[in-house]
Amino acid sequence: MSAKHVYFFGGKTADGDGKQKELLGGKGANLAEMCKIGIPVPPGFTITTEVCAAYYEQGKKIPEAAVPEIDAALAKVEATFGKKFGDTSDPLLVSVRSGAALSMPGMMNTILNLGLSDASVEGLAKKTGNPRFAYDSYRRLIDMFGSTAMGCEHEAFEHEIHSLKHEKKAALDTDLSADDLKELVKRYKAVYKKNVGEDFPQDPKKQLYLAINAVFNSWNGNKAIEYRRIERITGLKGTAVNVQAMVFGNMGTGSGTGVAFTRDPNTGENVFYGDYLINAQGEDVVAGIRTPEPISKLNDEMPKVYKQLCEIREALEQHYKEMQDIEFTVQDGVLYMLQTRTGKRTGTAAVRIAVEMVKEGKIDEKTAVKRVAPDSLNHLLQPQLDPKSKVKPVAQGIAASPGGATGMVVLDSAEAKALHEKDPAVKLILVRKETSPEDVAGMHAAKGILTSTGGKASHAAVVARGWGKPCVVGCDDVKIDEKSQTITIAGKSVKAGDYITINGTTGDVMIGKVETINPSMTGDFSTLMTWADKSRKLKIRTNADSPADATKAREFGAEGIGLCRTEHMFFGDDRIAAVREMILAESVEGRRKALAKIEPFQKKDFVGIFEAMDGLPVTIRLLDPPLHEFLPQKDNRAGAEAVAKQIGVSVEKIFERVEELHEMNPMMGFRGCRLPLVFPEIGEMQVRAIIEAAIEVQKSGKKVFPEIMIPLVGVVEELSILKTQAIAVAEEAIKKHGVKVEYQIGTMIELPRACVAADKIAEEAEFFSFGTNDLTQMTFGFSRDDIKGFMPTYLGNKILPIDPFQTIDFNGVGELMKLGIQKGRDSRKAKHGSHLKIGICGEHGGDPDSVVFCHKIGMDYVSCSPFRVPIARLAAAQAALGDTVRDK
Ligand code: ADP
Ligand code: MG
Ligand code: MG
């Protein structure tokens, strides 16, 4: 541990600075930094995270060496602020605030007004000439200190204020007089004594040390531990404690408190964005109890303060080169800053802010690329409401998180969660007065969130923004009646289960359904993508089975198709009969006859895709089939009868074949390359359709690069046999038409054996594509469809750090991939003198962490679903640029 335990800040100096987040916590580091750049901050000091670690090492005791430093720092605060802690005529009061290197819900709430006692409260009353304020502060301290530091029930205090209000016939807290509050202090002290077993401490130093202990204790409280576990936060020393001179936003109409962002965190627009409340303290703004005023209105109420605040906004952005989230308090016309940190924002805002900051000369293009979290682009890929819709808004709330959502009204979070579990496709809009952490699961299940109270910084707004989920808050035209399960929107009654629509970009609320339309890539989004493309080394392809998907993916910047599956092409209404005929055929001739009917359809499919991908490579995987899925199952007699009639066989015959095709373990059954090995005519038909389509499209003047991919190869012989067959078919077609087509034949690497034997396989394969879904299944021996029962336990007990179907298991599956790449590349080079092209086409190709891994192990490309293409482009650029600079 370093020799220094306590870091002072105040005036225009500070012992620490903004870089010391590990040691001083985010809050402490930034308070120091603000002082250093001359921003007004009430003086205070930060006890380091190392002291927290030492506190635990010494059996929950503040290390002795820290105590004199704390006392000295407190004296310095007194000198700077010109008041004395515990003074009975004009006391210094302080707040005690927790703060780790990363912001962490679940730790102790801040205690305000520390240092008040029976004696000093009188002094405060006299000094301020405001006894009401003094006693209100004191009773708040007893409540906060009792419930957050000493384990009293907050409810017990609430009970006292309710009964007093009842006795005094006071409707609001503010209707209580100074004498009433004096009485309340007496009752609160009784509650405290009953719960804690001793009197509320009159010695301010004792209060302070008890509060510091409580902050340290909260570091290992259940909620904080749980949060660190879920977010996989490790390696932090502990929490810091910030002790800071109190300033009061609740001293009358010349005072107030607010929270703001230096830019709009929804849209990214360069405007000052926030809320404030006159005559209020601390968290009153975010609690959603009173609906606050927009920050621009402060210009009317306190023009001087507003001007100063705008200058500070500018100064902070100039200094941090980042959008800031700030807290401030005005005491009798004097402005103080209490917090600044990197502001959370939607994906849309992240992109706009990054691009505009480059244009403003604050950051460079590479920094802009590193700053945007790839997954946050989801927000720009969210559906928007159809602007041509005729449905008119009936009410307007505050636009809290952009995007449009339509769904059925649900009033209860638990019910939303249950409905979603029953049917994941269900569209719900969660409607609440306000939300709290208990609502999170229901909010997650809903497509959008609507609340009748609360401002831009309310719980609902912040959480929805984090997820990129449309949200409208503070819509006071919405009245909720949980009992009758109805809401009224601007006087019109809507039942739970009825459809409503919200527009989180404008704040509009509509009754009924509105169509949503898919987004496109333009403006800042496309600018940022261009910058990303300058840095990335990986190519990005897409998984697409239709011309429509292929076209969409190209718009998003796909540089080819990495996986075109052919299974679904067999299901179309126009061909399913021929497919069934093929499956039921008893001879090669019968099968060929049926396949001849399918072939023109297959060719047409490929023509469409080749046309859409003009000039770019297209990897087509041969059929990897669950054949039985094409036939009606045993319990479906009616279906079987219909099929029997259609293709002219008996129902018994169909069931017989279904029986034959039944597998104990289809995942490891008659699939992949095993099918064309047993029935070569199937593979031949597919290859012919691919090459004929390529020839046709090439003749029309377009460029085609077909790559034929043979699935589930584990032994090189499987590949060499099928490759020989494919070449024969392809060359025959090329000869017949007299048109040369460049094509390649490669394989999917999705079996552990294929990784180990990659050197052999690469002698035949012209490319590798890692099928990481199957490779993960086969490596772990987990069936992806059957992990529900045990995966939660695996993750909960840290048997696995993360679901390997979401992010590549670097240490197992990843090692096999590295082996496959190295053996494959070496062998291809040695035998053919050429570079073996390697990509990935499993769902991991759209997962940012997996993309970074693919970059590191030297792949040529990743392939993902069309809507993940921009995400993969950005992740690939960040991988190439090295460490990202995003705040966690
Ligand atoms: P959180 O991490 O939950 O935001 P904070 O420590 O920032 O907790 O404090 C909670 C509220 O109390 C904030 O609104 C903050 O501005 C206010 N606050 C904290 N310390 C002081 C102080 N010394 N004077 C006035 N208000 C304070
Ligand atoms: Mg805060
Ligand atoms: Mg597979």
Side-chain angles (χ1 to χ4, degrees):
M1 187 160 91
S2 7
K4 193 169 168 59
H5 306 89
V6 177
Y7 285 67
F8 173 82
F9 57 85
K12 288 192 186 339
T13 63
D15 296 344
D17 66 42
K19 288 187 202 73
Q20 291 170 298
K21 289 205 176 100
E22 293 274 312
L23 184 67
L24 305 179
K27 208 178 275 169
N30 280 328
L31 285 167
E33 188 78 11
M34 280 200 287
C35 287
K36 284 202 153 144
I37 59 172
I39 284 170
V41 172
F45 55 88
T46 305
I47 306 170
T48 68
T49 56
E50 288 179 349
V51 177
C52 181
Y55 173 84
Y56 280 103
E57 275 159 30
Q58 300 179 9
K60 296 203 181 184
K61 226 180 127 280
I62 297 176
E64 248 159 54
V67 174
E69 283 185 54
I70 294 173
D71 293 342
L74 184 63
K76 208 165 165 187
V77 173
E78 291 175 331
T80 312
F81 209 56
K83 289 178 197 281
K84 281 211 161 322
F85 196 52
D87 192 305
T88 48
S89 58
D90 183 16
L92 166 73
L93 304 186
V94 297
S95 63
V96 172
R97 319 169 70 182
S98 60
L102 301 170
S103 104
M104 196 176 297
M107 256 160 31
M108 199 191 81
N109 290 332
T110 292
I111 300 177
L112 303 174
N113 308 334
L114 216 89
L116 277 176
S117 62
D118 294 353
S120 66
V121 71
E122 299 286 350
L124 185 67
K126 264 204 209 92
K127 176 79 196 174
T128 58
N130 191 343
R132 202 191 169 280
F133 157 74
Y135 284 102
D136 191 43
S137 301
Y138 194 22
R139 68 101 188 165
R140 283 176 194 253
L141 168 65
I142 300 167
D143 180 350
M144 271 187 278
F145 184 84
S147 50
T148 61
M150 306 305 291
C152 304
E153 287 287 336
H154 171 64
E155 296 307 314
F157 296 109
E158 280 292 286
H159 178 77
E160 291 302 332
I161 189 168
H162 279 304
S163 41
L164 186 73
K165 272 158 79 180
H166 188 74
E167 286 164 34
K168 303 284 174 189
K169 301 198 169 50
L172 301 170
D173 292 6
T174 43
D175 295 336
L176 294 171
S177 69
D179 282 335
D180 296 338
L181 290 165
K182 204 168 175 174
E183 168 63 23
L184 193 59
V185 164
K186 218 160 107 194
R187 298 192 190 178
Y188 272 19
K189 286 202 305 200
V191 170
Y192 183 95
K193 183 160 190 183
K194 186 160 163 248
N195 280 271
V196 181
E198 46 185 273
D199 284 322
F200 177 76
Q202 292 297 310
D203 173 6
K205 274 277 176 71
K206 186 169 176 201
Q207 292 175 11
L208 179 62
Y209 278 96
L210 283 171
I212 293 169
N213 277 317
V215 172
F216 286 152
N217 289 339
S218 75
W219 171 253
N220 277 340
N222 291 338
K223 273 199 285 180
I225 290 179
E226 178 74 354
Y227 182 80
R228 290 199 291 275
R229 190 183 65 75
I230 292 171
E231 295 290 314
R232 287 187 278 155
I233 296 170
T234 52
L236 296 185
K237 293 187 191 106
T239 177
V241 182
N242 300 289
V243 178
Q244 189 174 24
M246 279 301 300
V247 290
F248 298 98
N250 55 340
M251 269 204 338
T253 50
S255 304
T257 185
V259 293
F261 292 87
T262 54
R263 300 187 188 214
D264 186 331
N266 290 316
T267 64
E269 193 185 347
N270 191 357
V271 291
F272 204 9
Y273 180 99
D275 296 318
Y276 74 97
L277 274 174
I278 290 292
N279 200 5
Q281 193 176 37
E283 308 235 279
D284 295 356
V285 185
V286 288
I289 302 163
R290 264 159 79 188
T291 299
E293 301 288 347
I295 198 88
S296 57
K297 212 175 154 220
L298 193 62
N299 196 19
D300 307 333
E301 291 195 275
M302 300 181 182
K304 260 201 175 135
V305 167
Y306 184 71
K307 186 163 167 279
Q308 192 191 356
L309 196 58
C310 289
E311 284 161 11
I312 289 174
R313 166 187 175 228
E314 198 47 50
L316 286 173
E317 278 216 349
Q318 269 307 336
H319 182 74
Y320 286 98
K321 318 278 186 209
E322 236 312 13
M323 187 263 259
Q324 298 292 301
D325 168 355
I326 59 176
E327 289 174 5
F328 64 90
T329 283
V330 182
Q331 175 177 333
D332 268 339
V334 182
L335 175 65
Y336 296 93
M337 301 305 294
L338 287 160
Q339 193 167 333
T340 191
R341 59 183 160 187
T342 302
K344 289 215 186 329
R345 65 204 76 182
T346 64
T348 309
V351 170
R352 179 162 176 183
I353 291 169
V355 171
E356 289 190 351
M357 283 201 168
V358 172
K359 294 186 177 149
E360 291 160 21
K362 290 196 172 81
I363 56 174
D364 61 14
E365 290 178 7
K366 283 182 181 158
T367 308
V369 167
K370 284 163 131 190
R371 257 193 200 165
V372 178
D375 265 327
S376 76
L377 295 181
N378 256 333
H379 198 247
L380 290 95
L381 302 163
Q382 285 285 321
Q384 304 293 321
L385 296 180
D386 181 358
K388 291 195 220 78
S389 155
K390 297 255 165 0
V391 183
K392 288 261 166 321
V394 290
Q396 197 179 34
I398 297 165
S401 176
T406 276
M408 291 185 281
V409 170
V410 54
L411 303 178
D412 180 76
S413 295
E415 194 185 333
K417 183 169 173 254
L419 289 170
H420 180 74
E421 272 165 9
K422 234 201 264 150
D423 173 14
V426 69
K427 292 191 165 127
L428 302 170
I429 305 286
L430 181 67
V431 185
R432 306 276 305 159
K433 184 163 176 288
E434 65 200 11
T435 63
S436 71
E438 275 77 59
D439 293 309
V440 166
M443 295 166 79
H444 199 86
K447 293 270 178 256
I449 297 145
L450 171 63
T451 69
S452 57
T453 62
K456 293 170 195 121
S458 64
H459 179 264
V462 172
V463 172
R465 222 153 35 225
W467 289 335
K469 194 164 280 209
C471 176
V472 173
V473 299
C475 186
D476 42 26
D477 275 343
V478 173
K479 304 271 179 295
I480 302 169
D481 183 6
E482 292 207 35
K483 240 200 184 142
S484 68
Q485 286 286 298
T486 44
I487 58 173
T488 54
I489 307 178
K492 297 184 184 68
S493 159
V494 178
K495 282 212 170 52
D498 291 349
Y499 274 86
I500 62 166
T501 297
I502 58 169
N503 185 341
T505 316
T506 60
D508 288 339
V509 180
M510 288 138 277
I511 297 176
K513 268 191 214 179
V514 174
E515 287 306 311
T516 49
I517 47 170
N518 288 336
S520 62
M521 203 160 71
T522 50
D524 293 335
F525 189 10
S526 107
T527 305
L528 187 78
M529 285 294 127
T530 325
W531 294 343
D533 291 347
K534 286 188 201 165
S535 298
R536 79 181 149 87
K537 303 272 187 307
L538 277 173
K539 293 244 179 243
I540 311 297
R541 295 197 189 184
T542 191
N543 298 351
D545 307 340
S546 71
D549 279 0
T551 306
K552 189 83 229 165
R554 256 196 115 146
E555 262 173 60
F556 285 144
E559 298 165 295
I561 289 183
L563 176 63
C564 171
R565 301 179 187 85
T566 51
E567 288 79 66
H568 92 271
M569 299 174 172
F570 279 58
F571 275 105
D573 284 340
D574 44 5
R575 55 196 89 169
I576 184 83
V579 173
R580 286 170 174 155
E581 197 183 313
M582 186 261 296
I583 296 170
L584 293 166
E586 280 167 342
S587 65
V588 182
E589 280 63 49
R591 253 190 315 276
R592 282 196 196 280
K593 222 176 93 206
L595 284 165
K597 293 184 197 165
I598 305 169
E599 192 170 323
F601 291 114
Q602 278 266 279
K603 185 177 155 193
K604 208 170 108 215
D605 293 330
F606 298 139
V607 166
I609 287 173
F610 287 145
E611 281 178 340
M613 295 309 279
D614 178 17
L616 300 175
V618 176
T619 305
I620 296 169
R621 180 178 74 182
L622 299 188
L623 188 62
D624 183 2
L627 279 190
H628 63 93
E629 280 180 17
F630 292 98
L631 295 179
Q633 295 307 296
K634 265 268 141 83
D635 51 4
N636 183 6
R637 180 108 206 152
E641 273 164 6
V643 170
K645 208 161 141 215
Q646 194 186 10
I647 59 177
V649 297
S650 70
V651 173
E652 276 57 48
K653 174 90 218 291
I654 291 175
F655 284 147
E656 214 172 89
R657 189 73 180 128
V658 169
E659 188 71 15
E660 271 169 34
L661 290 172
H662 175 78
E663 294 181 316
M664 295 304 286
N665 204 340
M667 204 72 77
M668 295 195 267
F670 190 14
R671 50 174 297 213
C673 64
R674 297 155 206 169
L675 185 80
L677 282 167
V678 176
F679 302 125
E681 52 283 0
I682 299 179
E684 285 167 16
M685 181 281 285
Q686 288 202 291
V687 172
R688 197 158 43 241
I690 293 168
I691 299 298
E692 294 263 352
I695 290 170
E696 185 174 318
V697 175
Q698 191 160 303
K699 270 200 199 149
S700 74
K702 296 195 160 143
K703 289 206 172 63
V704 202
F705 302 99
E707 298 171 341
I708 296 166
M709 181 155 77
I710 296 171
L712 220 71
V713 164
V715 188
V716 67
E717 282 73 15
E718 292 170 328
L719 180 60
S720 49
I721 293 172
L722 291 171
K723 190 180 157 193
T724 309
Q725 285 170 8
I727 291 175
V729 172
E731 292 306 320
E732 192 187 307
I734 287 169
K735 211 167 126 202
K736 182 169 140 205
H737 294 276
V739 178
K740 183 99 193 88
V741 177
E742 299 291 337
Y743 64 93
Q744 291 191 338
I745 297 175
T747 182
M748 243 169 131
I749 301 288
E750 45 191 339
L751 296 173
R753 192 184 193 285
C755 297
V756 176
D759 47 348
K760 285 270 168 257
I761 295 174
E763 290 178 4
E764 293 291 336
E766 291 176 281
F767 63 87
F768 278 1
S769 176
F770 281 92
T772 45
N773 297 342
D774 267 311
L775 188 58
T776 301
Q777 297 202 104
M778 303 293 186
T779 302
F780 275 99
F782 294 165
S783 150
R784 183 167 59 151
D785 302 317
D786 303 307
I787 57 172
K788 269 200 251 89
F790 59 88
M791 192 52 76
T793 306
Y794 268 55
L795 298 176
N797 295 352
K798 288 195 184 161
I799 297 169
L800 285 175
I802 193 165
D803 178 350
F805 292 102
Q806 252 155 42
T807 297
I808 290 173
D809 156 48
F810 303 144
N811 298 327
V813 177
E815 285 297 315
L816 279 170
M817 292 167 77
K818 282 199 224 164
L819 182 70
I821 291 176
Q822 182 232 317
K823 285 190 129 184
R825 287 246 170 92
D826 288 354
S827 138
R828 189 85 198 160
K829 183 120 240 157
K831 180 106 191 218
H832 300 276
S834 59
H835 172 79
L836 179 67
K837 184 169 53 184
I838 298 181
I840 173 179
C841 63
E843 253 140 78
H844 298 98
D847 168 63
D849 291 341
S850 304
V851 172
V852 172
F853 181 74
C854 291
H855 167 89
K856 285 194 185 141
I857 62 175
M859 285 201 181
D860 296 292
Y861 70 87
V862 301
S863 187
C864 56
S865 64
F867 281 90
R868 310 261 339 151
V869 167
I871 294 169
R873 282 165 77 188
L874 185 55
Q878 293 182 351
L881 289 170
D883 285 343
T884 56
V885 292
R886 289 191 307 275
D887 265 28
K888 244 220 147 160

